[in-house]
Structures are given as structure tokens and as C-alpha cells.
PDB file of all heavy atoms in Angstrom:
ATOM      1  N   ASN A   1     154.555 -46.061 117.723  1.00  0.00           N
ATOM      2  CA  ASN A   1     155.545 -45.971 118.791  1.00  0.00           C
ATOM      3  C   ASN A   1     155.591 -47.284 119.561  1.00  0.00           C
ATOM      4  O   ASN A   1     154.564 -47.800 119.987  1.00  0.00           O
ATOM      5  CB  ASN A   1     155.209 -44.830 119.748  1.00  0.00           C
ATOM      6  CG  ASN A   1     154.928 -43.523 119.014  1.00  0.00           C
ATOM      7  OD1 ASN A   1     153.831 -43.001 119.081  1.00  0.00           O
ATOM      8  ND2 ASN A   1     155.910 -43.024 118.279  1.00  0.00           N
ATOM      9  N   GLY A   2     156.807 -47.823 119.740  1.00  0.00           N
ATOM     10  CA  GLY A   2     156.960 -49.087 120.435  1.00  0.00           C
ATOM     11  C   GLY A   2     158.069 -49.064 121.464  1.00  0.00           C
ATOM     12  O   GLY A   2     158.739 -48.044 121.669  1.00  0.00           O
ATOM     13  N   THR A   3     158.281 -50.195 122.103  1.00  0.00           N
ATOM     14  CA  THR A   3     159.281 -50.288 123.159  1.00  0.00           C
ATOM     15  C   THR A   3     160.704 -50.212 122.626  1.00  0.00           C
ATOM     16  O   THR A   3     161.627 -49.871 123.371  1.00  0.00           O
ATOM     17  CB  THR A   3     159.112 -51.611 123.929  1.00  0.00           C
ATOM     18  OG1 THR A   3     159.183 -52.701 122.991  1.00  0.00           O
ATOM     19  CG2 THR A   3     157.790 -51.646 124.671  1.00  0.00           C
ATOM     20  N   GLU A   4     160.902 -50.519 121.339  1.00  0.00           N
ATOM     21  CA  GLU A   4     162.244 -50.548 120.776  1.00  0.00           C
ATOM     22  C   GLU A   4     162.483 -49.511 119.687  1.00  0.00           C
ATOM     23  O   GLU A   4     163.625 -49.289 119.286  1.00  0.00           O
ATOM     24  CB  GLU A   4     162.536 -51.939 120.195  1.00  0.00           C
ATOM     25  CG  GLU A   4     162.413 -53.075 121.194  1.00  0.00           C
ATOM     26  CD  GLU A   4     163.437 -52.973 122.305  1.00  0.00           C
ATOM     27  OE1 GLU A   4     164.537 -52.440 122.048  1.00  0.00           O
ATOM     28  OE2 GLU A   4     163.139 -53.416 123.431  1.00  0.00           O
ATOM     29  N   GLY A   5     161.411 -48.892 119.186  1.00  0.00           N
ATOM     30  CA  GLY A   5     161.610 -47.950 118.096  1.00  0.00           C
ATOM     31  C   GLY A   5     160.320 -47.275 117.668  1.00  0.00           C
ATOM     32  O   GLY A   5     159.251 -47.464 118.273  1.00  0.00           O
ATOM     33  N   ASP A   6     160.435 -46.476 116.607  1.00  0.00           N
ATOM     34  CA  ASP A   6     159.304 -45.710 116.088  1.00  0.00           C
ATOM     35  C   ASP A   6     159.301 -45.779 114.564  1.00  0.00           C
ATOM     36  O   ASP A   6     160.362 -45.785 113.920  1.00  0.00           O
ATOM     37  CB  ASP A   6     159.392 -44.240 116.504  1.00  0.00           C
ATOM     38  CG  ASP A   6     159.509 -44.063 118.004  1.00  0.00           C
ATOM     39  OD1 ASP A   6     158.483 -44.198 118.687  1.00  0.00           O
ATOM     40  OD2 ASP A   6     160.630 -43.791 118.482  1.00  0.00           O
ATOM     41  N   LEU A   7     158.105 -45.782 114.001  1.00  0.00           N
ATOM     42  CA  LEU A   7     157.908 -45.626 112.564  1.00  0.00           C
ATOM     43  C   LEU A   7     157.015 -44.411 112.349  1.00  0.00           C
ATOM     44  O   LEU A   7     156.061 -44.197 113.104  1.00  0.00           O
ATOM     45  CB  LEU A   7     157.246 -46.861 111.951  1.00  0.00           C
ATOM     46  CG  LEU A   7     158.093 -48.128 111.848  1.00  0.00           C
ATOM     47  CD1 LEU A   7     157.215 -49.296 111.410  1.00  0.00           C
ATOM     48  CD2 LEU A   7     159.246 -47.930 110.859  1.00  0.00           C
ATOM     49  N   VAL A   8     157.324 -43.628 111.316  1.00  0.00           N
ATOM     50  CA  VAL A   8     156.535 -42.439 111.015  1.00  0.00           C
ATOM     51  C   VAL A   8     156.260 -42.405 109.519  1.00  0.00           C
ATOM     52  O   VAL A   8     157.187 -42.520 108.702  1.00  0.00           O
ATOM     53  CB  VAL A   8     157.255 -41.147 111.449  1.00  0.00           C
ATOM     54  CG1 VAL A   8     156.441 -39.925 111.040  1.00  0.00           C
ATOM     55  CG2 VAL A   8     157.489 -41.144 112.956  1.00  0.00           C
ATOM     56  N   ILE A   9     154.986 -42.249 109.173  1.00  0.00           N
ATOM     57  CA  ILE A   9     154.581 -42.090 107.777  1.00  0.00           C
ATOM     58  C   ILE A   9     153.990 -40.699 107.631  1.00  0.00           C
ATOM     59  O   ILE A   9     153.088 -40.311 108.376  1.00  0.00           O
ATOM     60  CB  ILE A   9     153.549 -43.157 107.373  1.00  0.00           C
ATOM     61  CG1 ILE A   9     154.181 -44.543 107.426  1.00  0.00           C
ATOM     62  CG2 ILE A   9     153.004 -42.887 105.970  1.00  0.00           C
ATOM     63  CD1 ILE A   9     153.202 -45.675 107.166  1.00  0.00           C
ATOM     64  N   THR A  10     154.501 -39.936 106.668  1.00  0.00           N
ATOM     65  CA  THR A  10     153.995 -38.594 106.412  1.00  0.00           C
ATOM     66  C   THR A  10     153.595 -38.458 104.952  1.00  0.00           C
ATOM     67  O   THR A  10     154.036 -39.231 104.093  1.00  0.00           O
ATOM     68  CB  THR A  10     155.044 -37.520 106.751  1.00  0.00           C
ATOM     69  OG1 THR A  10     156.265 -37.805 106.038  1.00  0.00           O
ATOM     70  CG2 THR A  10     155.337 -37.481 108.244  1.00  0.00           C
ATOM     71  N   ALA A  11     152.760 -37.454 104.680  1.00  0.00           N
ATOM     72  CA  ALA A  11     152.298 -37.200 103.324  1.00  0.00           C
ATOM     73  C   ALA A  11     151.873 -35.739 103.220  1.00  0.00           C
ATOM     74  O   ALA A  11     151.533 -35.113 104.225  1.00  0.00           O
ATOM     75  CB  ALA A  11     151.128 -38.119 102.962  1.00  0.00           C
ATOM     76  N   PRO A  12     151.868 -35.173 102.018  1.00  0.00           N
ATOM     77  CA  PRO A  12     151.504 -33.756 101.865  1.00  0.00           C
ATOM     78  C   PRO A  12     150.020 -33.480 102.051  1.00  0.00           C
ATOM     79  O   PRO A  12     149.630 -32.346 102.299  1.00  0.00           O
ATOM     80  CB  PRO A  12     151.952 -33.432 100.432  1.00  0.00           C
ATOM     81  CG  PRO A  12     151.980 -34.746  99.730  1.00  0.00           C
ATOM     82  CD  PRO A  12     152.379 -35.751 100.762  1.00  0.00           C
ATOM     83  N   ILE A  13     149.168 -34.506 101.909  1.00  0.00           N
ATOM     84  CA  ILE A  13     147.743 -34.353 102.156  1.00  0.00           C
ATOM     85  C   ILE A  13     147.262 -35.542 102.980  1.00  0.00           C
ATOM     86  O   ILE A  13     147.963 -36.541 103.103  1.00  0.00           O
ATOM     87  CB  ILE A  13     146.929 -34.256 100.848  1.00  0.00           C
ATOM     88  CG1 ILE A  13     147.155 -35.508  99.973  1.00  0.00           C
ATOM     89  CG2 ILE A  13     147.275 -32.993 100.085  1.00  0.00           C
ATOM     90  CD1 ILE A  13     146.298 -35.528  98.730  1.00  0.00           C
ATOM     91  N   GLY A  14     146.062 -35.427 103.529  1.00  0.00           N
ATOM     92  CA  GLY A  14     145.586 -36.442 104.444  1.00  0.00           C
ATOM     93  C   GLY A  14     144.936 -37.646 103.815  1.00  0.00           C
ATOM     94  O   GLY A  14     144.388 -38.486 104.532  1.00  0.00           O
ATOM     95  N   HIS A  15     144.979 -37.757 102.501  1.00  0.00           N
ATOM     96  CA  HIS A  15     144.393 -38.898 101.806  1.00  0.00           C
ATOM     97  C   HIS A  15     145.478 -39.938 101.573  1.00  0.00           C
ATOM     98  O   HIS A  15     146.152 -39.948 100.538  1.00  0.00           O
ATOM     99  CB  HIS A  15     143.750 -38.450 100.488  1.00  0.00           C
ATOM    100  CG  HIS A  15     142.549 -37.585 100.673  1.00  0.00           C
ATOM    101  ND1 HIS A  15     141.271 -38.045 100.465  1.00  0.00           N
ATOM    102  CD2 HIS A  15     142.432 -36.300 101.079  1.00  0.00           C
ATOM    103  CE1 HIS A  15     140.408 -37.063 100.718  1.00  0.00           C
ATOM    104  NE2 HIS A  15     141.091 -35.994 101.091  1.00  0.00           N
ATOM    105  N   LEU A  16     145.620 -40.844 102.519  1.00  0.00           N
ATOM    106  CA  LEU A  16     146.672 -41.852 102.449  1.00  0.00           C
ATOM    107  C   LEU A  16     146.567 -42.692 101.193  1.00  0.00           C
ATOM    108  O   LEU A  16     147.577 -43.176 100.667  1.00  0.00           O
ATOM    109  CB  LEU A  16     146.596 -42.739 103.695  1.00  0.00           C
ATOM    110  CG  LEU A  16     147.646 -43.837 103.856  1.00  0.00           C
ATOM    111  CD1 LEU A  16     149.047 -43.253 103.932  1.00  0.00           C
ATOM    112  CD2 LEU A  16     147.343 -44.667 105.102  1.00  0.00           C
ATOM    113  N   GLN A  17     145.355 -42.868 100.680  1.00  0.00           N
ATOM    114  CA  GLN A  17     145.118 -43.742  99.541  1.00  0.00           C
ATOM    115  C   GLN A  17     145.605 -43.172  98.212  1.00  0.00           C
ATOM    116  O   GLN A  17     145.744 -43.902  97.238  1.00  0.00           O
ATOM    117  CB  GLN A  17     143.614 -44.067  99.429  1.00  0.00           C
ATOM    118  CG  GLN A  17     142.733 -42.945  98.891  1.00  0.00           C
ATOM    119  CD  GLN A  17     142.375 -41.885  99.908  1.00  0.00           C
ATOM    120  OE1 GLN A  17     142.912 -41.862 101.014  1.00  0.00           O
ATOM    121  NE2 GLN A  17     141.459 -41.013  99.567  1.00  0.00           N
ATOM    122  N   LEU A  18     145.863 -41.877  98.145  1.00  0.00           N
ATOM    123  CA  LEU A  18     146.248 -41.288  96.859  1.00  0.00           C
ATOM    124  C   LEU A  18     147.429 -40.334  96.947  1.00  0.00           C
ATOM    125  O   LEU A  18     147.827 -39.729  95.948  1.00  0.00           O
ATOM    126  CB  LEU A  18     145.050 -40.567  96.226  1.00  0.00           C
ATOM    127  CG  LEU A  18     144.386 -39.434  97.009  1.00  0.00           C
ATOM    128  CD1 LEU A  18     145.108 -38.115  96.827  1.00  0.00           C
ATOM    129  CD2 LEU A  18     142.928 -39.291  96.575  1.00  0.00           C
ATOM    130  N   SER A  19     148.021 -40.235  98.124  1.00  0.00           N
ATOM    131  CA  SER A  19     149.104 -39.275  98.329  1.00  0.00           C
ATOM    132  C   SER A  19     150.467 -39.952  98.269  1.00  0.00           C
ATOM    133  O   SER A  19     150.603 -41.117  98.646  1.00  0.00           O
ATOM    134  CB  SER A  19     148.953 -38.613  99.695  1.00  0.00           C
ATOM    135  OG  SER A  19     149.971 -37.666  99.919  1.00  0.00           O
ATOM    136  N   PRO A  20     151.494 -39.246  97.787  1.00  0.00           N
ATOM    137  CA  PRO A  20     152.849 -39.783  97.935  1.00  0.00           C
ATOM    138  C   PRO A  20     153.215 -39.831  99.409  1.00  0.00           C
ATOM    139  O   PRO A  20     152.965 -38.874 100.150  1.00  0.00           O
ATOM    140  CB  PRO A  20     153.722 -38.771  97.176  1.00  0.00           C
ATOM    141  CG  PRO A  20     152.932 -37.518  97.136  1.00  0.00           C
ATOM    142  CD  PRO A  20     151.485 -37.929  97.115  1.00  0.00           C
ATOM    143  N   VAL A  21     153.759 -40.950  99.865  1.00  0.00           N
ATOM    144  CA  VAL A  21     154.053 -41.112 101.291  1.00  0.00           C
ATOM    145  C   VAL A  21     155.549 -41.262 101.519  1.00  0.00           C
ATOM    146  O   VAL A  21     156.279 -41.738 100.652  1.00  0.00           O
ATOM    147  CB  VAL A  21     153.312 -42.321 101.890  1.00  0.00           C
ATOM    148  CG1 VAL A  21     151.814 -42.154 101.740  1.00  0.00           C
ATOM    149  CG2 VAL A  21     153.760 -43.613 101.249  1.00  0.00           C
ATOM    150  N   THR A  22     155.974 -40.844 102.697  1.00  0.00           N
ATOM    151  CA  THR A  22     157.361 -40.969 103.125  1.00  0.00           C
ATOM    152  C   THR A  22     157.395 -41.821 104.390  1.00  0.00           C
ATOM    153  O   THR A  22     156.643 -41.558 105.337  1.00  0.00           O
ATOM    154  CB  THR A  22     157.971 -39.586 103.415  1.00  0.00           C
ATOM    155  OG1 THR A  22     157.953 -38.807 102.215  1.00  0.00           O
ATOM    156  CG2 THR A  22     159.413 -39.725 103.890  1.00  0.00           C
ATOM    157  N   LEU A  23     158.266 -42.821 104.404  1.00  0.00           N
ATOM    158  CA  LEU A  23     158.398 -43.709 105.552  1.00  0.00           C
ATOM    159  C   LEU A  23     159.742 -43.464 106.222  1.00  0.00           C
ATOM    160  O   LEU A  23     160.795 -43.476 105.568  1.00  0.00           O
ATOM    161  CB  LEU A  23     158.289 -45.168 105.104  1.00  0.00           C
ATOM    162  CG  LEU A  23     158.492 -46.248 106.183  1.00  0.00           C
ATOM    163  CD1 LEU A  23     157.421 -46.148 107.255  1.00  0.00           C
ATOM    164  CD2 LEU A  23     158.488 -47.631 105.534  1.00  0.00           C
ATOM    165  N   GLU A  24     159.709 -43.213 107.527  1.00  0.00           N
ATOM    166  CA  GLU A  24     160.927 -43.006 108.313  1.00  0.00           C
ATOM    167  C   GLU A  24     160.869 -43.884 109.560  1.00  0.00           C
ATOM    168  O   GLU A  24     159.793 -44.292 109.999  1.00  0.00           O
ATOM    169  CB  GLU A  24     161.073 -41.538 108.712  1.00  0.00           C
ATOM    170  CG  GLU A  24     161.206 -40.575 107.543  1.00  0.00           C
ATOM    171  CD  GLU A  24     161.243 -39.139 108.026  1.00  0.00           C
ATOM    172  OE1 GLU A  24     160.212 -38.678 108.562  1.00  0.00           O
ATOM    173  OE2 GLU A  24     162.303 -38.483 107.885  1.00  0.00           O
ATOM    174  N   GLY A  25     162.051 -44.132 110.132  1.00  0.00           N
ATOM    175  CA  GLY A  25     162.080 -44.932 111.340  1.00  0.00           C
ATOM    176  C   GLY A  25     163.335 -44.695 112.150  1.00  0.00           C
ATOM    177  O   GLY A  25     164.325 -44.129 111.675  1.00  0.00           O
ATOM    178  N   GLY A  26     163.275 -45.121 113.392  1.00  0.00           N
ATOM    179  CA  GLY A  26     164.428 -45.067 114.277  1.00  0.00           C
ATOM    180  C   GLY A  26     164.233 -46.091 115.383  1.00  0.00           C
ATOM    181  O   GLY A  26     163.106 -46.329 115.817  1.00  0.00           O
ATOM    182  N   ARG A  27     165.321 -46.695 115.801  1.00  0.00           N
ATOM    183  CA  ARG A  27     165.193 -47.720 116.846  1.00  0.00           C
ATOM    184  C   ARG A  27     166.493 -47.840 117.621  1.00  0.00           C
ATOM    185  O   ARG A  27     167.524 -47.276 117.237  1.00  0.00           O
ATOM    186  CB  ARG A  27     164.803 -49.063 116.239  1.00  0.00           C
ATOM    187  CG  ARG A  27     165.842 -49.667 115.319  1.00  0.00           C
ATOM    188  CD  ARG A  27     165.264 -50.849 114.514  1.00  0.00           C
ATOM    189  NE  ARG A  27     164.649 -51.860 115.348  1.00  0.00           N
ATOM    190  CZ  ARG A  27     165.274 -52.951 115.786  1.00  0.00           C
ATOM    191  NH1 ARG A  27     166.554 -53.159 115.472  1.00  0.00           N
ATOM    192  NH2 ARG A  27     164.650 -53.829 116.530  1.00  0.00           N
ATOM    193  N   GLY A  28     166.438 -48.576 118.732  1.00  0.00           N
ATOM    194  CA  GLY A  28     167.638 -48.824 119.518  1.00  0.00           C
ATOM    195  C   GLY A  28     168.212 -47.541 120.091  1.00  0.00           C
ATOM    196  O   GLY A  28     167.511 -46.732 120.695  1.00  0.00           O
ATOM    197  N   THR A  29     169.491 -47.319 119.861  1.00  0.00           N
ATOM    198  CA  THR A  29     170.174 -46.149 120.412  1.00  0.00           C
ATOM    199  C   THR A  29     170.000 -44.896 119.572  1.00  0.00           C
ATOM    200  O   THR A  29     170.436 -43.814 119.965  1.00  0.00           O
ATOM    201  CB  THR A  29     171.681 -46.440 120.557  1.00  0.00           C
ATOM    202  OG1 THR A  29     172.219 -46.764 119.261  1.00  0.00           O
ATOM    203  CG2 THR A  29     171.914 -47.597 121.523  1.00  0.00           C
ATOM    204  N   SER A  30     169.360 -45.011 118.404  1.00  0.00           N
ATOM    205  CA  SER A  30     169.131 -43.850 117.546  1.00  0.00           C
ATOM    206  C   SER A  30     168.240 -42.839 118.250  1.00  0.00           C
ATOM    207  O   SER A  30     167.243 -43.200 118.882  1.00  0.00           O
ATOM    208  CB  SER A  30     168.480 -44.285 116.231  1.00  0.00           C
ATOM    209  OG  SER A  30     168.072 -43.163 115.482  1.00  0.00           O
ATOM    210  N   THR A  31     168.587 -41.557 118.145  1.00  0.00           N
ATOM    211  CA  THR A  31     167.792 -40.516 118.785  1.00  0.00           C
ATOM    212  C   THR A  31     166.926 -39.745 117.799  1.00  0.00           C
ATOM    213  O   THR A  31     166.250 -38.788 118.170  1.00  0.00           O
ATOM    214  CB  THR A  31     168.713 -39.519 119.513  1.00  0.00           C
ATOM    215  OG1 THR A  31     169.631 -38.954 118.564  1.00  0.00           O
ATOM    216  CG2 THR A  31     169.475 -40.205 120.636  1.00  0.00           C
ATOM    217  N   GLY A  32     166.951 -40.144 116.543  1.00  0.00           N
ATOM    218  CA  GLY A  32     166.158 -39.450 115.529  1.00  0.00           C
ATOM    219  C   GLY A  32     165.609 -40.427 114.505  1.00  0.00           C
ATOM    220  O   GLY A  32     165.769 -41.648 114.621  1.00  0.00           O
ATOM    221  N   LEU A  33     164.957 -39.870 113.489  1.00  0.00           N
ATOM    222  CA  LEU A  33     164.392 -40.665 112.411  1.00  0.00           C
ATOM    223  C   LEU A  33     165.295 -40.620 111.191  1.00  0.00           C
ATOM    224  O   LEU A  33     165.986 -39.630 110.953  1.00  0.00           O
ATOM    225  CB  LEU A  33     163.006 -40.121 112.024  1.00  0.00           C
ATOM    226  CG  LEU A  33     161.923 -40.158 113.098  1.00  0.00           C
ATOM    227  CD1 LEU A  33     160.693 -39.374 112.625  1.00  0.00           C
ATOM    228  CD2 LEU A  33     161.534 -41.596 113.416  1.00  0.00           C
ATOM    229  N   ALA A  34     165.263 -41.674 110.415  1.00  0.00           N
ATOM    230  CA  ALA A  34     166.001 -41.740 109.158  1.00  0.00           C
ATOM    231  C   ALA A  34     165.079 -42.315 108.087  1.00  0.00           C
ATOM    232  O   ALA A  34     164.202 -43.134 108.383  1.00  0.00           O
ATOM    233  CB  ALA A  34     167.243 -42.621 109.305  1.00  0.00           C
ATOM    234  N   PRO A  35     165.244 -41.888 106.831  1.00  0.00           N
ATOM    235  CA  PRO A  35     164.396 -42.425 105.760  1.00  0.00           C
ATOM    236  C   PRO A  35     164.559 -43.939 105.633  1.00  0.00           C
ATOM    237  O   PRO A  35     165.665 -44.472 105.773  1.00  0.00           O
ATOM    238  CB  PRO A  35     164.916 -41.708 104.508  1.00  0.00           C
ATOM    239  CG  PRO A  35     165.595 -40.473 105.017  1.00  0.00           C
ATOM    240  CD  PRO A  35     166.186 -40.854 106.337  1.00  0.00           C
ATOM    241  N   LEU A  36     163.468 -44.622 105.389  1.00  0.00           N
ATOM    242  CA  LEU A  36     163.472 -46.057 105.149  1.00  0.00           C
ATOM    243  C   LEU A  36     163.035 -46.299 103.713  1.00  0.00           C
ATOM    244  O   LEU A  36     161.920 -45.949 103.327  1.00  0.00           O
ATOM    245  CB  LEU A  36     162.527 -46.778 106.116  1.00  0.00           C
ATOM    246  CG  LEU A  36     162.893 -46.705 107.595  1.00  0.00           C
ATOM    247  CD1 LEU A  36     161.809 -47.379 108.441  1.00  0.00           C
ATOM    248  CD2 LEU A  36     164.244 -47.363 107.854  1.00  0.00           C
TER     249      LEU A  36
END
């Protein structure tokens, strides 16, 4: 979380090193997240 936007990484399990990950973000006037 930052002053201009947010990045979110999610995964189906808590092992970041071996799990498929999803990256989303939103910034500026955006009020939600979008896939990156």
C-alpha cells in the first residue's frame, strides 16, 4: 500500500515459492484492483 496506489499478490496456498500467483493493482483515481 502506497501514497499513489496498491499492489496485491494472491495465491491458492501460502507457499509463494511454488504456488501460482496472481498480481493485481490499482492507482490514481481507480477505486478497485485490476489484473496486471
Side-chain angles (χ1 to χ4, degrees):
N1 310 117
T3 56
E4 302 296 330
D6 305 283
L7 289 172
V8 176
I9 295 175
T10 54
I13 58 175
H15 292 254
L16 182 61
Q17 75 280 9
L18 59 83
S19 181
V21 300
T22 298
L23 176 63
E24 298 176 294
R27 65 192 306 266
T29 59
S30 171
T31 58
L33 298 171
L36 296 176

